[in-house]
Amino acid sequence: MKEYLSDKINDLPASATLTMAAKARELKNKGVDIIGLSLGEPDFNTPEYIKDAAISAVKDNYNSYTPVDGYLELKQSISTKFSRDNNLKYNVSQIVVSTGAKQSIANAVQALVKPGEEVILLAPFWVSYSAIVLMAEGVPKIIASDINSNFKVSAKEIEKAITDKTKMIIINSPNNPSGSIFSKKELDEIATVLRKYPNIFILSDEIYEHINYGVEHVSFASLEGMYERTITVNGIAKAFAMTGWRIGYIGAPDWIAKACTKLQGQVTSGANCIAQKATVKALTESPKKINYMVEEFKERKKLIINLLSNIKGFKLNNPDGAFYVFPDISYYFGKEIDGEIINSASDFAMVVLEKAHVATVTGDAFGCPNNIRISYAASQESIIEAVSRINKLLN
Ligand code: GLU
């Protein structure tokens, strides 16, 4: 039936994170005892105060279409959040609420990128950036990095990658999958380069802002000269354990926000009304209320790093944020594990899934072919069991 599908769909890679999660789910349904560490999804419940706001919204008959760009009340709370947490002043007309940060990113890329224009991606990059750029007929221009630079690309390397076709650069700090966070100094250096190229737009994906273990979070739009051409993306999924509620948002120059709203008006009509009401509550309350989750992620990070560093051939960085570890496992390339020759990180992730029943994601999908991503947004018990299974398999 492939011949009936559009070239766009045939050429589109499936999301590696969601594919792995689906595989794990399928095996689980067949009765296999899988430990799922593939998906970036907090295992906490959405906090009660947020759930209560959603229940009230249902009871208060919030059931109609919302404005395409989101309820005014929600956009006001986002505007307040931006000035409270990020030192950014966005009017409500500069804010667009969407069905998850993924749609916010897709909207912005579709709104700005013309066929053939290049979008700079800093590897490791979140799996969907490249697919989203390709859907807009843009060209992903990937700059590699590895564990030796703590998975950070320098301003110099970025400048080298700029051509007269460069339209956008996507910056993601804290980073999924490496957990690295750009310091203010590093971001300033990048901004210094970009000030020389006024036609390049910056998409700053700050979805892991609150999953931070003590490094200052700097919003790219707050740097000198960047506000006018930065799209700041954020959402509630990761910090508030609300992945399935699907609410993301942008703060951007007015004309970009308008373009995103126009696009969204033809695609989804806007985000879910109940989830929007719940998000007002999530953003209005102090972010300190979710500290207990961040503290627990911090403990789990220590635990998993400790455990993984005892496994032969695993090279690890020490993430400053998000909830992933991204070990370099290239030591195993060319070697045999339980009868299977490992030629790539995908082979490695597959063997670990099939033989140790632990789901992870190959680094290939993130532009780092020597690594795998392991999410530690799971209980300490699951982490201990998962690492022990991997260790047993590799021994
Ligand atoms: N962003 C999460 C991840 O990287 C959720 C899955 C997805 O949408 O890719 O695992």
Side-chain angles (χ1 to χ4, degrees):
M1 291 299 149
K2 224 177 148 188
E3 68 270 24
Y4 292 114
L5 294 170
S6 68
D7 294 344
K8 218 176 218 177
I9 285 300
N10 279 328
D11 294 345
L12 186 70
S15 158
T17 45
L18 301 185
T19 302
M20 202 56 169
K23 241 180 220 150
R25 216 174 281 138
E26 196 183 300
L27 286 169
K28 230 179 201 167
N29 289 343
K30 283 188 189 150
V32 185
D33 171 27
I34 296 286
I35 303 179
L37 304 183
S38 56
L39 209 53
E41 167 153 79
D43 59 326
F44 293 102
N45 292 325
T46 302
E48 290 302 318
Y49 63 98
I50 300 175
K51 289 198 281 192
D52 287 344
I55 291 164
S56 299
V58 172
K59 293 204 166 137
D60 293 343
N61 298 310
Y62 279 86
N63 46 244
S64 309
Y65 287 123
T66 74
V68 172
D69 52 351
Y71 284 128
L72 180 61
E73 180 193 14
L74 174 55
K75 294 198 298 166
Q76 275 158 347
S77 65
I78 292 169
S79 171
T80 307
K81 178 256 174 282
F82 274 132
S83 67
R84 178 191 69 197
D85 301 343
N86 310 107
N87 199 21
L88 289 172
K89 299 267 170 275
Y90 286 117
N91 300 322
V92 287
S93 62
Q94 296 176 273
I95 290 167
V96 182
V97 179
S98 300
T99 305
K102 195 182 254 180
Q103 194 198 2
S104 302
I105 295 164
N107 280 350
V109 170
Q110 288 285 347
L112 286 166
V113 176
K114 298 178 188 170
E117 288 184 332
E118 294 172 357
V119 178
I120 295 180
L121 304 180
L122 314 179
F125 54 84
W126 177 49
V127 293
S128 291
Y129 294 157
S130 51
I132 286 170
V133 170
L134 290 171
M135 277 192 283
E137 295 178 45
V139 180
K141 182 101 186 236
I142 295 164
I143 311 181
S145 82
D146 60 23
I147 196 160
N148 298 314
S149 60
N150 195 15
F151 299 107
K152 291 189 204 178
V153 171
S154 68
K156 253 196 201 139
E157 292 170 296
I158 290 173
E159 182 151 30
K160 258 197 240 151
I162 292 173
T163 71
D164 54 4
K165 293 213 178 86
T166 307
K167 181 59 168 282
M168 181 185 274
I169 174 169
I170 302 186
I171 294 175
N172 171 218
S173 177
N175 177 272
N176 171 10
S178 71
S180 295
I181 298 181
F182 279 119
S183 66
K184 165 108 174 36
K185 179 171 172 283
E186 288 161 337
L187 290 176
D188 268 331
E189 284 163 4
I190 296 174
T192 302
V193 167
L194 293 174
R195 275 194 286 276
K196 293 191 236 167
Y197 304 91
N199 297 326
I200 299 178
F201 292 83
I202 303 96
L203 189 144
S204 179
D205 178 356
E206 302 179 16
I207 188 78
Y208 292 94
E209 171 187 11
H210 292 300
I211 320 288
N212 181 318
Y213 309 125
V215 175
E216 182 194 11
H217 176 81
V218 177
S219 283
F220 202 78
S222 69
L223 304 176
E224 191 196 323
M226 296 298 112
Y227 179 82
E228 291 305 330
R229 51 197 173 106
T230 298
I231 300 104
T232 306
V233 176
N234 213 324
I236 49 154
K238 311 295 181 182
F240 299 94
M242 293 176 75
T243 49
W245 298 68
R246 311 307 302 129
I247 296 288
Y249 54 85
I250 60 163
D254 220 89
W255 61 276
I256 297 178
K258 272 203 183 77
C260 292
T261 303
K262 182 162 120 182
L263 173 60
Q264 188 159 291
Q266 294 288 23
V267 181
T268 60
S269 304
N272 173 283
C273 56
I274 303 303
Q276 287 194 46
K277 289 294 284 183
T279 304
V280 172
K281 188 71 181 169
L283 296 181
T284 312
E285 295 289 323
S286 162
K288 288 205 177 87
K289 280 198 146 170
I290 48 129
N291 270 357
Y292 66 96
M293 294 194 241
V294 182
E295 284 307 312
E296 177 59 24
F297 287 136
K298 198 172 175 179
E299 286 308 308
R300 293 172 184 182
K301 179 190 84 162
K302 272 192 222 147
L303 174 71
I304 198 165
I305 294 229
N306 249 332
L307 294 171
L308 287 176
S309 53
N310 291 323
I311 298 187
K312 193 170 174 190
F314 271 53
K315 274 196 256 162
L316 290 148
N317 70 322
N318 187 8
D320 286 319
F323 34 57
Y324 310 103
V325 280
F326 198 52
D328 179 320
I329 47 81
S330 57
Y331 166 83
Y332 291 95
F333 293 176
K335 296 195 167 66
E336 194 180 309
I337 302 176
D338 204 17
E340 308 282 340
I341 301 284
I342 304 301
N343 287 317
S344 63
S346 301
D347 290 350
F348 187 89
M350 215 31 94
V351 162
V352 167
L353 176 69
E354 282 166 4
K355 313 262 176 173
H357 298 160
V358 178
T360 61
V361 186
T362 172
D364 290 314
F366 301 90
C368 285
N370 291 339
N371 301 66
I372 59 163
R373 189 189 79 172
I374 308 176
S375 160
Y376 54 85
S379 70
Q380 300 204 17
E381 211 180 18
S382 308
I383 291 169
I384 292 168
E385 174 61 19
V387 179
S388 133
R389 286 186 194 182
I390 296 174
N391 209 357
K392 224 184 251 162
L393 172 72
L394 299 179
N395 279 324

